[in-house]
Every structure is written in structure tokens, then in C-alpha cells.
Short mmCIF file of all heavy atoms in Angstrom, two decimals:
data_model
loop_
_atom_site.label_atom_id
_atom_site.label_comp_id
_atom_site.label_asym_id
_atom_site.label_seq_id
_atom_site.Cartn_x
_atom_site.Cartn_y
_atom_site.Cartn_z
N ASP A 1 0.82 -1.20 0.00
CA ASP A 1 0.00 0.00 0.00
C ASP A 1 0.86 1.26 0.00
O ASP A 1 0.53 2.23 -0.65
CB ASP A 1 -0.94 0.01 1.20
CG ASP A 1 -2.08 -0.98 1.05
OD1 ASP A 1 -2.43 -1.31 -0.10
OD2 ASP A 1 -2.63 -1.42 2.08
N ALA A 2 1.95 1.23 0.77
CA ALA A 2 2.83 2.40 0.83
C ALA A 2 3.46 2.67 -0.54
O ALA A 2 3.56 3.83 -0.96
CB ALA A 2 3.91 2.19 1.88
N MET A 3 3.84 1.61 -1.24
CA MET A 3 4.44 1.79 -2.56
C MET A 3 3.42 2.37 -3.53
O MET A 3 3.74 3.24 -4.34
CB MET A 3 4.99 0.47 -3.10
CG MET A 3 5.72 0.63 -4.42
SD MET A 3 6.39 -0.90 -5.05
CE MET A 3 7.85 -1.01 -4.04
N LYS A 4 2.18 1.92 -3.43
CA LYS A 4 1.13 2.44 -4.30
C LYS A 4 0.95 3.95 -4.07
O LYS A 4 0.80 4.71 -5.02
CB LYS A 4 -0.18 1.70 -4.01
CG LYS A 4 -1.30 2.04 -4.98
CD LYS A 4 -2.61 1.40 -4.58
CE LYS A 4 -2.66 -0.05 -4.94
NZ LYS A 4 -3.99 -0.65 -4.70
N GLN A 5 1.00 4.38 -2.83
CA GLN A 5 0.87 5.81 -2.52
C GLN A 5 2.06 6.60 -3.04
O GLN A 5 1.90 7.69 -3.57
CB GLN A 5 0.72 6.01 -1.02
CG GLN A 5 -0.61 5.54 -0.48
CD GLN A 5 -0.70 5.67 1.03
OE1 GLN A 5 0.30 5.86 1.71
NE2 GLN A 5 -1.91 5.57 1.55
N GLN A 6 3.26 6.05 -2.90
CA GLN A 6 4.45 6.72 -3.40
C GLN A 6 4.39 6.88 -4.91
O GLN A 6 4.70 7.94 -5.46
CB GLN A 6 5.71 5.94 -3.02
CG GLN A 6 6.06 6.04 -1.55
CD GLN A 6 7.26 5.19 -1.19
OE1 GLN A 6 7.68 4.32 -1.95
NE2 GLN A 6 7.82 5.44 -0.02
N ILE A 7 4.00 5.81 -5.59
CA ILE A 7 3.89 5.87 -7.05
C ILE A 7 2.84 6.88 -7.46
O ILE A 7 3.04 7.65 -8.40
CB ILE A 7 3.58 4.47 -7.63
CG1 ILE A 7 4.80 3.56 -7.44
CG2 ILE A 7 3.18 4.55 -9.10
CD1 ILE A 7 4.55 2.10 -7.74
N GLY A 8 1.72 6.91 -6.75
CA GLY A 8 0.68 7.89 -7.05
C GLY A 8 1.17 9.31 -6.87
O GLY A 8 0.87 10.19 -7.67
N GLY A 9 1.95 9.55 -5.83
CA GLY A 9 2.50 10.88 -5.59
C GLY A 9 3.48 11.29 -6.67
O GLY A 9 3.47 12.43 -7.16
N ILE A 10 4.35 10.37 -7.06
CA ILE A 10 5.32 10.64 -8.12
C ILE A 10 4.59 10.92 -9.44
O ILE A 10 4.94 11.83 -10.18
CB ILE A 10 6.31 9.47 -8.28
CG1 ILE A 10 7.21 9.39 -7.04
CG2 ILE A 10 7.15 9.61 -9.55
CD1 ILE A 10 8.01 8.12 -6.94
N ARG A 11 3.57 10.15 -9.71
CA ARG A 11 2.76 10.33 -10.93
C ARG A 11 2.14 11.71 -10.95
O ARG A 11 2.17 12.41 -11.96
CB ARG A 11 1.69 9.25 -11.00
CG ARG A 11 0.76 9.37 -12.18
CD ARG A 11 -0.31 8.25 -12.13
NE ARG A 11 -1.37 8.54 -13.02
CZ ARG A 11 -2.47 9.24 -12.70
NH1 ARG A 11 -2.65 9.67 -11.49
NH2 ARG A 11 -3.40 9.48 -13.60
N ALA A 12 1.56 12.12 -9.82
CA ALA A 12 0.92 13.43 -9.74
C ALA A 12 1.93 14.56 -9.97
O ALA A 12 1.64 15.52 -10.69
CB ALA A 12 0.22 13.60 -8.39
N GLN A 13 3.12 14.43 -9.39
CA GLN A 13 4.16 15.45 -9.59
C GLN A 13 4.57 15.52 -11.05
O GLN A 13 4.73 16.61 -11.62
CB GLN A 13 5.38 15.13 -8.72
CG GLN A 13 5.16 15.33 -7.25
CD GLN A 13 6.35 14.87 -6.43
OE1 GLN A 13 7.35 14.40 -6.97
NE2 GLN A 13 6.24 14.99 -5.12
N TYR A 14 4.75 14.37 -11.67
CA TYR A 14 5.15 14.31 -13.07
C TYR A 14 4.09 14.95 -13.96
O TYR A 14 4.40 15.76 -14.84
CB TYR A 14 5.38 12.85 -13.47
CG TYR A 14 5.73 12.64 -14.91
CD1 TYR A 14 6.97 12.98 -15.40
CD2 TYR A 14 4.80 12.10 -15.79
CE1 TYR A 14 7.30 12.78 -16.73
CE2 TYR A 14 5.11 11.90 -17.12
CZ TYR A 14 6.36 12.24 -17.58
OH TYR A 14 6.66 12.05 -18.91
N LEU A 15 2.84 14.63 -13.73
CA LEU A 15 1.76 15.20 -14.53
C LEU A 15 1.66 16.71 -14.33
O LEU A 15 1.39 17.44 -15.29
CB LEU A 15 0.44 14.52 -14.19
CG LEU A 15 0.30 13.08 -14.68
CD1 LEU A 15 -0.96 12.45 -14.13
CD2 LEU A 15 0.32 13.01 -16.19
N GLN A 16 1.87 17.18 -13.12
CA GLN A 16 1.81 18.62 -12.89
C GLN A 16 2.90 19.34 -13.67
O GLN A 16 2.67 20.40 -14.22
CB GLN A 16 1.92 18.94 -11.40
CG GLN A 16 0.62 18.73 -10.67
CD GLN A 16 0.66 19.25 -9.26
OE1 GLN A 16 1.68 19.16 -8.59
NE2 GLN A 16 -0.44 19.77 -8.79
N LYS A 17 4.10 18.76 -13.72
CA LYS A 17 5.18 19.37 -14.48
C LYS A 17 4.86 19.39 -15.98
O LYS A 17 5.22 20.32 -16.67
CB LYS A 17 6.49 18.66 -14.21
CG LYS A 17 7.02 18.93 -12.82
CD LYS A 17 8.34 18.27 -12.58
CE LYS A 17 8.68 18.33 -11.12
NZ LYS A 17 9.65 19.27 -10.74
N LEU A 18 4.19 18.36 -16.45
CA LEU A 18 3.81 18.32 -17.86
C LEU A 18 2.77 19.38 -18.20
O LEU A 18 2.72 19.87 -19.33
CB LEU A 18 3.24 16.94 -18.22
CG LEU A 18 4.23 15.81 -18.39
CD1 LEU A 18 3.48 14.51 -18.63
CD2 LEU A 18 5.19 16.08 -19.52
N LEU A 19 1.95 19.71 -17.25
CA LEU A 19 0.86 20.64 -17.49
C LEU A 19 1.17 22.04 -16.98
O LEU A 19 0.29 22.76 -16.56
CB LEU A 19 -0.41 20.11 -16.81
CG LEU A 19 -0.91 18.75 -17.29
CD1 LEU A 19 -2.05 18.28 -16.40
CD2 LEU A 19 -1.36 18.84 -18.73
N THR A 20 2.43 22.43 -17.04
CA THR A 20 2.83 23.73 -16.53
C THR A 20 2.09 24.84 -17.27
O THR A 20 2.01 24.86 -18.49
CB THR A 20 4.36 23.93 -16.69
OG1 THR A 20 5.01 22.89 -15.99
CG2 THR A 20 4.79 25.27 -16.15
N VAL A 21 1.54 25.73 -16.48
CA VAL A 21 0.81 26.88 -17.03
C VAL A 21 1.45 28.15 -16.48
O VAL A 21 2.39 28.11 -15.69
CB VAL A 21 -0.68 26.84 -16.65
CG1 VAL A 21 -1.37 25.66 -17.30
CG2 VAL A 21 -0.86 26.80 -15.16
N ASP A 22 0.92 29.28 -16.86
CA ASP A 22 1.39 30.57 -16.37
C ASP A 22 1.45 30.54 -14.84
O ASP A 22 0.46 30.26 -14.17
CB ASP A 22 0.42 31.65 -16.85
CG ASP A 22 0.78 33.03 -16.36
OD1 ASP A 22 1.84 33.20 -15.74
OD2 ASP A 22 -0.01 33.96 -16.63
N PRO A 23 2.63 30.82 -14.24
CA PRO A 23 2.75 30.74 -12.79
C PRO A 23 1.86 31.74 -12.05
O PRO A 23 1.59 31.58 -10.86
CB PRO A 23 4.23 31.03 -12.54
CG PRO A 23 4.79 31.55 -13.80
CD PRO A 23 3.87 31.16 -14.91
N MET A 24 1.41 32.75 -12.74
CA MET A 24 0.53 33.75 -12.12
C MET A 24 -0.94 33.32 -12.15
O MET A 24 -1.78 33.94 -11.52
CB MET A 24 0.69 35.11 -12.82
CG MET A 24 2.10 35.67 -12.74
SD MET A 24 2.66 35.90 -11.03
CE MET A 24 1.65 37.27 -10.53
N ALA A 25 -1.24 32.28 -12.89
CA ALA A 25 -2.63 31.81 -13.01
C ALA A 25 -3.05 31.11 -11.72
O ALA A 25 -2.28 30.39 -11.09
CB ALA A 25 -2.76 30.85 -14.19
N ASP A 26 -4.28 31.34 -11.33
CA ASP A 26 -4.87 30.67 -10.17
C ASP A 26 -5.29 29.28 -10.63
O ASP A 26 -6.28 29.12 -11.33
CB ASP A 26 -6.06 31.47 -9.66
CG ASP A 26 -6.74 30.82 -8.47
OD1 ASP A 26 -6.15 29.94 -7.83
OD2 ASP A 26 -7.90 31.20 -8.19
N THR A 27 -4.52 28.27 -10.24
CA THR A 27 -4.71 26.92 -10.73
C THR A 27 -5.23 26.01 -9.64
O THR A 27 -4.80 26.07 -8.51
CB THR A 27 -3.36 26.37 -11.25
OG1 THR A 27 -2.86 27.25 -12.25
CG2 THR A 27 -3.53 24.99 -11.84
N VAL A 28 -6.17 25.16 -10.01
CA VAL A 28 -6.72 24.15 -9.10
C VAL A 28 -6.61 22.80 -9.81
O VAL A 28 -6.63 22.73 -11.03
CB VAL A 28 -8.19 24.49 -8.73
CG1 VAL A 28 -9.10 24.44 -9.92
CG2 VAL A 28 -8.68 23.63 -7.62
N THR A 29 -6.43 21.74 -9.02
CA THR A 29 -6.23 20.40 -9.58
C THR A 29 -7.35 19.47 -9.13
O THR A 29 -7.86 19.59 -8.03
CB THR A 29 -4.87 19.83 -9.12
OG1 THR A 29 -3.84 20.73 -9.51
CG2 THR A 29 -4.61 18.47 -9.72
N MET A 30 -7.70 18.54 -10.01
CA MET A 30 -8.75 17.57 -9.71
C MET A 30 -8.35 16.24 -10.33
O MET A 30 -7.84 16.21 -11.45
CB MET A 30 -10.06 18.07 -10.31
CG MET A 30 -11.28 17.33 -9.94
SD MET A 30 -12.72 18.21 -10.63
CE MET A 30 -14.00 17.49 -9.66
N GLU A 31 -8.55 15.16 -9.62
CA GLU A 31 -8.21 13.84 -10.16
C GLU A 31 -9.36 13.29 -11.00
O GLU A 31 -10.53 13.49 -10.67
CB GLU A 31 -7.87 12.87 -9.03
CG GLU A 31 -6.59 13.25 -8.32
CD GLU A 31 -6.12 12.18 -7.37
OE1 GLU A 31 -6.52 11.01 -7.53
OE2 GLU A 31 -5.33 12.51 -6.48
N ARG A 32 -9.00 12.59 -12.07
CA ARG A 32 -10.01 12.02 -12.97
C ARG A 32 -10.99 11.11 -12.23
O ARG A 32 -12.18 11.09 -12.54
CB ARG A 32 -9.34 11.21 -14.09
CG ARG A 32 -8.66 12.05 -15.12
CD ARG A 32 -8.16 11.19 -16.27
NE ARG A 32 -7.37 10.06 -15.82
CZ ARG A 32 -6.05 9.97 -15.90
NH1 ARG A 32 -5.37 10.94 -16.44
NH2 ARG A 32 -5.42 8.91 -15.47
N SER A 33 -10.48 10.40 -11.25
CA SER A 33 -11.34 9.44 -10.54
C SER A 33 -12.45 10.13 -9.76
O SER A 33 -13.46 9.50 -9.46
CB SER A 33 -10.50 8.57 -9.60
OG SER A 33 -9.86 9.38 -8.63
N THR A 34 -12.29 11.41 -9.45
CA THR A 34 -13.36 12.13 -8.76
C THR A 34 -14.36 12.75 -9.72
O THR A 34 -15.40 13.23 -9.31
CB THR A 34 -12.79 13.24 -7.85
OG1 THR A 34 -12.11 14.20 -8.66
CG2 THR A 34 -11.87 12.68 -6.79
N ILE A 35 -14.02 12.73 -10.99
CA ILE A 35 -14.91 13.31 -12.01
C ILE A 35 -15.82 12.24 -12.60
O ILE A 35 -17.03 12.40 -12.64
CB ILE A 35 -14.08 13.97 -13.13
CG1 ILE A 35 -13.20 15.08 -12.57
CG2 ILE A 35 -14.99 14.50 -14.22
CD1 ILE A 35 -12.15 15.56 -13.53
N CYS A 36 -15.22 11.19 -13.08
CA CYS A 36 -15.96 10.12 -13.75
C CYS A 36 -16.17 8.95 -12.79
O CYS A 36 -15.21 8.28 -12.42
CB CYS A 36 -15.21 9.66 -14.99
SG CYS A 36 -14.95 10.95 -16.20
N THR A 37 -17.38 8.72 -12.43
CA THR A 37 -17.71 7.62 -11.53
C THR A 37 -18.28 6.46 -12.34
O THR A 37 -18.68 6.63 -13.49
CB THR A 37 -18.73 8.06 -10.47
OG1 THR A 37 -19.89 8.57 -11.14
CG2 THR A 37 -18.16 9.16 -9.59
N ALA A 38 -18.33 5.30 -11.73
CA ALA A 38 -18.90 4.13 -12.40
C ALA A 38 -20.37 4.37 -12.71
O ALA A 38 -21.08 5.00 -11.92
CB ALA A 38 -18.75 2.90 -11.53
N ALA A 39 -20.80 3.91 -13.85
CA ALA A 39 -22.19 4.10 -14.24
C ALA A 39 -22.61 3.03 -15.24
O ALA A 39 -21.77 2.46 -15.93
CB ALA A 39 -22.38 5.48 -14.87
N LYS A 40 -23.90 2.78 -15.28
CA LYS A 40 -24.46 1.89 -16.29
C LYS A 40 -25.30 2.75 -17.21
O LYS A 40 -26.32 3.31 -16.81
CB LYS A 40 -25.33 0.82 -15.61
CG LYS A 40 -25.92 -0.17 -16.59
CD LYS A 40 -26.72 -1.22 -15.86
CE LYS A 40 -27.31 -2.22 -16.82
NZ LYS A 40 -28.11 -3.24 -16.13
N LEU A 41 -24.86 2.86 -18.45
CA LEU A 41 -25.52 3.71 -19.42
C LEU A 41 -26.18 2.84 -20.48
O LEU A 41 -25.52 1.99 -21.08
CB LEU A 41 -24.50 4.66 -20.06
CG LEU A 41 -23.62 5.45 -19.08
CD1 LEU A 41 -22.56 6.21 -19.83
CD2 LEU A 41 -24.47 6.37 -18.23
N GLN A 42 -27.46 3.04 -20.68
CA GLN A 42 -28.19 2.19 -21.61
C GLN A 42 -28.85 2.95 -22.76
O GLN A 42 -29.42 2.33 -23.65
CB GLN A 42 -29.26 1.40 -20.86
CG GLN A 42 -28.66 0.43 -19.85
CD GLN A 42 -29.72 -0.34 -19.12
OE1 GLN A 42 -30.60 0.24 -18.48
NE2 GLN A 42 -29.64 -1.66 -19.20
N SER A 43 -28.78 4.26 -22.71
CA SER A 43 -29.43 5.02 -23.76
C SER A 43 -28.71 6.35 -23.96
O SER A 43 -27.86 6.73 -23.16
CB SER A 43 -30.89 5.30 -23.39
OG SER A 43 -30.95 6.19 -22.28
N GLU A 44 -29.07 7.02 -25.01
CA GLU A 44 -28.47 8.33 -25.26
C GLU A 44 -28.83 9.30 -24.14
O GLU A 44 -28.00 10.13 -23.74
CB GLU A 44 -28.96 8.88 -26.62
CG GLU A 44 -28.28 10.18 -27.00
CD GLU A 44 -28.61 10.66 -28.40
OE1 GLU A 44 -29.28 9.91 -29.16
OE2 GLU A 44 -28.20 11.77 -28.74
N ALA A 45 -30.01 9.18 -23.61
CA ALA A 45 -30.42 10.04 -22.49
C ALA A 45 -29.55 9.78 -21.26
O ALA A 45 -29.17 10.71 -20.55
CB ALA A 45 -31.89 9.81 -22.15
N ASP A 46 -29.21 8.51 -21.02
CA ASP A 46 -28.30 8.18 -19.90
C ASP A 46 -26.94 8.82 -20.10
O ASP A 46 -26.35 9.37 -19.17
CB ASP A 46 -28.13 6.67 -19.79
CG ASP A 46 -29.37 5.94 -19.31
OD1 ASP A 46 -30.32 6.59 -18.84
OD2 ASP A 46 -29.37 4.68 -19.42
N VAL A 47 -26.43 8.75 -21.33
CA VAL A 47 -25.13 9.34 -21.65
C VAL A 47 -25.20 10.85 -21.46
O VAL A 47 -24.30 11.45 -20.85
CB VAL A 47 -24.68 8.98 -23.09
CG1 VAL A 47 -23.44 9.77 -23.49
CG2 VAL A 47 -24.44 7.49 -23.21
N ASP A 48 -26.25 11.48 -21.95
CA ASP A 48 -26.41 12.92 -21.80
C ASP A 48 -26.44 13.33 -20.32
O ASP A 48 -25.79 14.31 -19.93
CB ASP A 48 -27.67 13.41 -22.50
CG ASP A 48 -27.57 13.34 -24.02
OD1 ASP A 48 -26.43 13.26 -24.55
OD2 ASP A 48 -28.63 13.33 -24.68
N ALA A 49 -27.17 12.60 -19.50
CA ALA A 49 -27.26 12.90 -18.08
C ALA A 49 -25.91 12.71 -17.40
O ALA A 49 -25.49 13.52 -16.56
CB ALA A 49 -28.32 12.03 -17.42
N TYR A 50 -25.20 11.65 -17.76
CA TYR A 50 -23.88 11.37 -17.18
C TYR A 50 -22.91 12.49 -17.54
O TYR A 50 -22.17 12.99 -16.68
CB TYR A 50 -23.40 10.02 -17.70
CG TYR A 50 -22.08 9.57 -17.13
CD1 TYR A 50 -21.99 9.10 -15.82
CD2 TYR A 50 -20.92 9.58 -17.90
CE1 TYR A 50 -20.77 8.67 -15.29
CE2 TYR A 50 -19.71 9.15 -17.38
CZ TYR A 50 -19.64 8.70 -16.08
OH TYR A 50 -18.44 8.28 -15.57
N LEU A 51 -22.89 12.88 -18.79
CA LEU A 51 -22.00 13.96 -19.23
C LEU A 51 -22.35 15.28 -18.57
O LEU A 51 -21.46 16.08 -18.23
CB LEU A 51 -22.01 14.09 -20.75
CG LEU A 51 -21.40 12.91 -21.52
CD1 LEU A 51 -21.59 13.10 -23.02
CD2 LEU A 51 -19.94 12.74 -21.16
N ALA A 52 -23.62 15.52 -18.35
CA ALA A 52 -24.05 16.75 -17.67
C ALA A 52 -23.51 16.78 -16.24
O ALA A 52 -23.08 17.84 -15.75
CB ALA A 52 -25.56 16.87 -17.68
N LYS A 53 -23.52 15.64 -15.56
CA LYS A 53 -22.97 15.57 -14.20
C LYS A 53 -21.47 15.84 -14.20
O LYS A 53 -20.96 16.55 -13.33
CB LYS A 53 -23.26 14.20 -13.58
CG LYS A 53 -24.70 14.00 -13.19
CD LYS A 53 -24.90 12.61 -12.60
CE LYS A 53 -26.36 12.33 -12.35
NZ LYS A 53 -26.59 10.97 -11.85
N ILE A 54 -20.77 15.28 -15.19
CA ILE A 54 -19.33 15.51 -15.29
C ILE A 54 -19.06 16.99 -15.52
O ILE A 54 -18.19 17.59 -14.88
CB ILE A 54 -18.72 14.65 -16.42
CG1 ILE A 54 -18.77 13.17 -16.04
CG2 ILE A 54 -17.28 15.08 -16.73
CD1 ILE A 54 -18.38 12.23 -17.17
N LYS A 55 -19.79 17.59 -16.44
CA LYS A 55 -19.60 19.02 -16.73
C LYS A 55 -19.87 19.86 -15.48
O LYS A 55 -19.12 20.79 -15.19
CB LYS A 55 -20.52 19.47 -17.87
CG LYS A 55 -20.33 20.93 -18.22
CD LYS A 55 -21.18 21.36 -19.38
CE LYS A 55 -20.93 22.84 -19.67
NZ LYS A 55 -21.69 23.30 -20.83
N LYS A 56 -20.91 19.51 -14.75
CA LYS A 56 -21.24 20.26 -13.53
C LYS A 56 -20.09 20.18 -12.52
O LYS A 56 -19.70 21.20 -11.94
CB LYS A 56 -22.53 19.72 -12.91
CG LYS A 56 -22.95 20.47 -11.68
CD LYS A 56 -24.24 19.91 -11.11
CE LYS A 56 -24.56 20.67 -9.83
NZ LYS A 56 -25.60 20.07 -9.06
N ARG A 57 -19.53 18.98 -12.31
CA ARG A 57 -18.40 18.82 -11.38
C ARG A 57 -17.21 19.66 -11.82
O ARG A 57 -16.55 20.32 -11.01
CB ARG A 57 -17.98 17.36 -11.30
CG ARG A 57 -18.92 16.50 -10.53
CD ARG A 57 -18.37 15.07 -10.41
NE ARG A 57 -19.42 14.20 -9.95
CZ ARG A 57 -19.86 13.15 -10.59
NH1 ARG A 57 -19.34 12.79 -11.74
NH2 ARG A 57 -20.83 12.40 -10.10
N LEU A 58 -16.89 19.64 -13.11
CA LEU A 58 -15.76 20.40 -13.63
C LEU A 58 -15.98 21.90 -13.47
O LEU A 58 -15.08 22.62 -13.03
CB LEU A 58 -15.52 20.06 -15.10
CG LEU A 58 -15.02 18.65 -15.40
CD1 LEU A 58 -15.05 18.39 -16.90
CD2 LEU A 58 -13.63 18.44 -14.84
N MET A 59 -17.16 22.36 -13.80
CA MET A 59 -17.44 23.79 -13.72
C MET A 59 -17.46 24.27 -12.27
O MET A 59 -17.00 25.38 -11.98
CB MET A 59 -18.77 24.11 -14.42
CG MET A 59 -18.75 23.86 -15.92
SD MET A 59 -17.38 24.67 -16.80
CE MET A 59 -17.77 26.39 -16.51
N GLU A 60 -17.96 23.45 -11.36
CA GLU A 60 -17.95 23.81 -9.94
C GLU A 60 -16.52 23.96 -9.43
O GLU A 60 -16.21 24.86 -8.67
CB GLU A 60 -18.71 22.78 -9.11
CG GLU A 60 -20.21 22.87 -9.27
CD GLU A 60 -20.95 21.73 -8.57
OE1 GLU A 60 -20.30 20.77 -8.10
OE2 GLU A 60 -22.20 21.80 -8.52
N ARG A 61 -15.64 23.05 -9.84
CA ARG A 61 -14.25 23.09 -9.39
C ARG A 61 -13.51 24.26 -10.03
O ARG A 61 -12.66 24.88 -9.40
CB ARG A 61 -13.57 21.77 -9.73
CG ARG A 61 -12.20 21.64 -9.16
CD ARG A 61 -12.26 21.47 -7.66
NE ARG A 61 -10.93 21.16 -7.17
CZ ARG A 61 -10.40 21.69 -6.09
NH1 ARG A 61 -11.10 22.52 -5.35
NH2 ARG A 61 -9.18 21.39 -5.73
N LEU A 62 -13.82 24.59 -11.27
CA LEU A 62 -13.16 25.69 -11.97
C LEU A 62 -13.64 27.04 -11.47
O LEU A 62 -12.89 28.02 -11.53
CB LEU A 62 -13.42 25.56 -13.48
CG LEU A 62 -12.80 26.64 -14.37
CD1 LEU A 62 -11.27 26.63 -14.25
CD2 LEU A 62 -13.21 26.41 -15.81
N ASP A 63 -14.83 27.11 -10.93
CA ASP A 63 -15.43 28.37 -10.50
C ASP A 63 -14.49 29.19 -9.63
O ASP A 63 -14.01 28.73 -8.61
CB ASP A 63 -16.73 28.10 -9.73
CG ASP A 63 -17.50 29.37 -9.43
OD1 ASP A 63 -17.49 30.29 -10.28
OD2 ASP A 63 -18.10 29.45 -8.35
N GLY A 64 -14.18 30.40 -10.08
CA GLY A 64 -13.32 31.30 -9.34
C GLY A 64 -11.83 31.11 -9.59
O GLY A 64 -11.01 31.79 -8.99
N HIS A 65 -11.47 30.18 -10.46
CA HIS A 65 -10.06 29.90 -10.77
C HIS A 65 -9.81 30.14 -12.25
O HIS A 65 -10.74 30.14 -13.06
CB HIS A 65 -9.70 28.45 -10.40
CG HIS A 65 -9.94 28.12 -8.96
ND1 HIS A 65 -9.09 28.50 -7.96
CD2 HIS A 65 -10.96 27.49 -8.36
CE1 HIS A 65 -9.56 28.09 -6.80
NE2 HIS A 65 -10.71 27.47 -7.01
N ASP A 66 -8.55 30.30 -12.60
CA ASP A 66 -8.18 30.52 -14.00
C ASP A 66 -8.00 29.21 -14.77
O ASP A 66 -8.33 29.14 -15.95
CB ASP A 66 -6.86 31.31 -14.10
CG ASP A 66 -6.96 32.69 -13.47
OD1 ASP A 66 -8.04 33.29 -13.56
OD2 ASP A 66 -5.96 33.14 -12.90
N VAL A 67 -7.47 28.21 -14.09
CA VAL A 67 -7.11 26.96 -14.76
C VAL A 67 -7.52 25.77 -13.89
O VAL A 67 -7.36 25.80 -12.67
CB VAL A 67 -5.58 26.89 -15.00
CG1 VAL A 67 -5.19 25.56 -15.62
CG2 VAL A 67 -5.11 28.04 -15.85
N LEU A 68 -8.07 24.75 -14.53
CA LEU A 68 -8.37 23.48 -13.87
C LEU A 68 -7.51 22.41 -14.51
O LEU A 68 -7.59 22.17 -15.71
CB LEU A 68 -9.86 23.11 -14.02
CG LEU A 68 -10.26 21.71 -13.57
CD1 LEU A 68 -9.97 21.49 -12.09
CD2 LEU A 68 -11.72 21.46 -13.88
N ARG A 69 -6.67 21.78 -13.70
CA ARG A 69 -5.85 20.66 -14.17
C ARG A 69 -6.54 19.38 -13.78
O ARG A 69 -6.91 19.18 -12.63
CB ARG A 69 -4.47 20.67 -13.52
CG ARG A 69 -3.57 21.72 -14.01
CD ARG A 69 -2.21 21.50 -13.40
NE ARG A 69 -1.39 22.66 -13.63
CZ ARG A 69 -0.31 22.93 -12.95
NH1 ARG A 69 0.11 22.12 -12.00
NH2 ARG A 69 0.38 24.01 -13.21
N VAL A 70 -6.69 18.48 -14.74
CA VAL A 70 -7.26 17.16 -14.47
C VAL A 70 -6.10 16.18 -14.58
O VAL A 70 -5.47 16.08 -15.63
CB VAL A 70 -8.38 16.83 -15.47
CG1 VAL A 70 -8.92 15.43 -15.18
CG2 VAL A 70 -9.49 17.87 -15.40
N ILE A 71 -5.84 15.46 -13.47
CA ILE A 71 -4.72 14.51 -13.48
C ILE A 71 -5.21 13.11 -13.24
O ILE A 71 -6.31 12.90 -12.79
CB ILE A 71 -3.63 14.89 -12.46
CG1 ILE A 71 -4.22 14.93 -11.05
CG2 ILE A 71 -2.99 16.20 -12.82
CD1 ILE A 71 -3.19 15.08 -9.97
#
């Protein structure tokens, strides 16, 4: 478990360096796993509703910030 956490931390640092933005920008970070949750989609309406939830989560996290990094 400790190794998994270390690898996750190293991964997050690496991804942040790849996504370097203007240092003056107000940046917030969000992990993909908190955006996309497990779901059973059976119709176009299900997909539309699922995507709407994802967009809402992203927009709420971006609110008041210049940049949202998804890692």
C-alpha cells in the first residue's frame, strides 16, 4: 500500500510538471477518478445525463479559478 501511494505521488508530480501553465494563473487540480464515476448507461439520455454531471463537477471546481488541471 505504501508503494502504491508513493507511485501515485510521483505520478501526480510528473503530470503537474507536464501541465505547466502561467505561474501567475490561479490553478486548481482535480483527479479524474473524482470526475468520472462508475455508471451503467443504456441510452443516449443516460449518456447525456452522465456527461451533464461531469460538466457540472468540472465547472464547480473551476469556478473562481483561471485553470483546472485534471490529473
Side-chain angles (χ1 to χ4, degrees):
D1 287 335
M3 184 179 281
K4 187 186 282 187
Q5 289 176 345
Q6 287 176 345
I7 291 170
I10 292 168
R11 178 182 165 270
Q13 290 174 0
Y14 177 73
L15 289 172
Q16 281 189 324
K17 289 182 191 255
L18 284 176
L19 299 172
T20 302
V21 295
D22 178 6
M24 299 301 290
D26 179 17
T27 304
V28 65
T29 303
M30 189 174 197
E31 293 190 21
R32 287 186 309 255
S33 61
T34 63
I35 300 167
C36 300
T37 57
K40 181 177 180 181
L41 308 173
Q42 296 180 303
S43 67
E44 185 173 353
D46 290 348
V47 171
D48 290 341
Y50 183 74
L51 292 175
K53 287 179 186 177
I54 292 171
K55 181 177 180 177
K56 182 179 177 192
R57 287 184 193 121
L58 292 171
M59 295 308 296
E60 286 173 351
R61 187 71 172 137
L62 180 61
D63 188 36
H65 302 282
D66 298 325
V67 177
L68 170 60
R69 287 187 192 162
V70 178
I71 59 171

